[in-house]
Amino acid sequence: HEYQIETPGLYSSNSLAANIDASALQQELESIVDGGGIDRVFGTVNVVRTPYVPSDQIRWSGGYTWMITFASRGGNIPALGTDDTDLLGSGVQLEISDEDSGAADTFQGSANSASFTIDDPGTARDGNQVSGSFALSWDGNLRHGAVTSSSVFTVQTGGSGTDRFLALPAADMESLITQHIFGGIANQIDVIRSSTPTQWMAYT
């Protein structure tokens, strides 16, 4: 996930039959693991295959749609890519439908959605993922007055460095709190971030 790795890798399946059944596609996707050969890239998935007849045709010509549900992978999964080089037939198309859930629906800073040229079912749903920014307030004490910040605390590191898409690290969070809550007075707080995110790519 881009919150955890500066440059996420590109992963590909084996060549798939044009009529691959649901269970075989499930096995193919679940067999793709990361470089260490440990973690499933897509986690566990559920696949449903249905025959597809385009709305501008009157009979079936061998096409299918596959609805893939990512059951265990955290966060919003980037839109899949396709390679239709080896598909045979007249007017053959291989397309992905991935919900456009708004301005925050990005991957590595670019918009991340896709739809069918025709007959998009509108059933694709993005995974739930924390993003954006938030504000903090503090009631103060005898030394520091009450403070309410603006939404300067970002979920991702931001900026222009190679780490800009990573989840905000503890040191940066501590720096922001020091600046916006404690008026720049150092050594007022220690911040520790959880080592792993939740299913929603959130940290504590």
Side-chain angles (χ1 to χ4, degrees):
H1 194 280
E2 64 176 344
Y3 284 15
Q4 300 172 291
I5 302 173
E6 283 193 8
T7 307
L10 178 64
Y11 297 91
S12 299
S13 71
N14 296 314
S15 182
L16 307 173
N19 64 345
I20 187 170
D21 64 31
S23 61
L25 181 56
Q26 177 185 358
Q27 291 173 10
E28 284 284 348
L29 292 175
E30 292 183 347
S31 71
I32 300 173
V33 295
D34 65 11
I38 300 174
D39 295 323
R40 292 175 174 174
V41 172
F42 298 115
T44 56
V45 302
N46 299 316
V47 181
V48 176
R49 187 189 76 171
T50 54
Y52 169 60
V53 180
S55 59
D56 59 356
Q57 298 182 22
I58 60 174
R59 62 180 189 175
W60 185 59
S61 57
Y64 292 94
T65 60
W66 293 264
M67 184 171 69
I68 303 169
T69 302
F70 301 91
S72 65
R73 164 76 188 273
N76 184 21
I77 296 174
L80 300 178
T82 61
D83 180 356
D84 60 2
T85 305
D86 294 329
L87 285 177
L88 303 176
S90 176
V92 174
Q93 287 183 292
L94 178 62
E95 296 181 317
I96 298 290
S97 179
D98 183 353
E99 181 185 26
D100 180 355
S101 53
D105 187 6
T106 62
F107 179 71
Q108 298 286 283
S110 299
N112 188 242
S113 61
S115 61
F116 296 162
T117 303
I118 61 170
D119 300 333
D120 191 285
T123 55
R125 293 294 179 266
D126 282 334
N128 193 6
Q129 176 172 299
V130 176
S131 62
S133 60
F134 57 95
L136 291 177
S137 62
W138 186 52
D139 289 340
N141 58 20
L142 293 177
R143 185 174 179 183
H144 299 284
V147 176
T148 298
S149 76
S150 56
S151 296
V152 296
F153 300 96
T154 56
V155 171
Q156 290 175 283
T157 300
S160 57
T162 57
D163 64 346
R164 62 190 180 277
F165 302 118
L166 294 178
L168 189 73
D172 287 12
M173 183 64 168
E174 183 173 319
S175 178
L176 287 170
I177 292 176
T178 297
Q179 177 184 351
H180 296 282
I181 301 297
F182 295 111
I185 302 174
N187 302 317
Q188 302 298 299
I189 190 172
D190 290 321
V191 175
I192 299 173
R193 196 192 75 179
S194 57
S195 58
T196 56
T198 67
Q199 188 73 8
W200 306 273
M201 298 310 299
Y203 291 84
T204 57

